[in-house]
C-alpha cells in the first residue's frame, strides 16, 4: 500500500491513515486467516501505479 501511495516508508502510510480505519488490523487478520485456510482466494494486481501529487 505504501508503494502504491508513493510513500518510501510504510510507517508514513500507517501514521497518515491508521486513524481512518481503526479496525483494519482485525479485518486484515480475518482476511489473511481466510486466505491461509483457503476459504477465500486472494487476487491482487501484480503492479500498482504510484499516486504522486505534483509539488
Amino acid at each position: 500500500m505504501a508503494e502504491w501511495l508513493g510513500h518510501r516508508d510504510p510507517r508514513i502510510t500507517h501514521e497518515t491513515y491508521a486513524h481512518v480505519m481503526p479496525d483494519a488490523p482485525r479485518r486484515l487478520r480475518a482476511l489473511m486467516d481466510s486466505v491461509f485456510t483457503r476459504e477465500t482466494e486472494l487476487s491482487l494486481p501484480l503492479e500498482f501505479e504510484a499516486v504522486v501529487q505534483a509539488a
Side-chain angles (χ1 to χ4, degrees):
M1 181 61 78
E3 184 177 333
W4 184 63
L5 291 169
H7 299 154
R8 287 187 222 181
D9 187 333
R11 286 179 290 178
I12 295 169
T13 309
H14 180 265
E15 291 168 2
T16 304
Y17 298 106
H19 70 283
V20 176
M21 296 180 65
D23 65 334
R26 180 192 55 76
R27 291 173 53 196
L28 177 59
R29 277 192 302 277
L31 172 65
M32 295 310 295
D33 285 345
S34 69
V35 168
F36 288 130
T37 59
R38 299 189 185 262
E39 294 172 23
T40 301
E41 183 177 329
L42 187 60
S43 176
L44 297 173
L46 296 177
E47 293 184 16
F48 294 99
E49 188 174 318
V51 177
V52 180
Q53 292 182 346

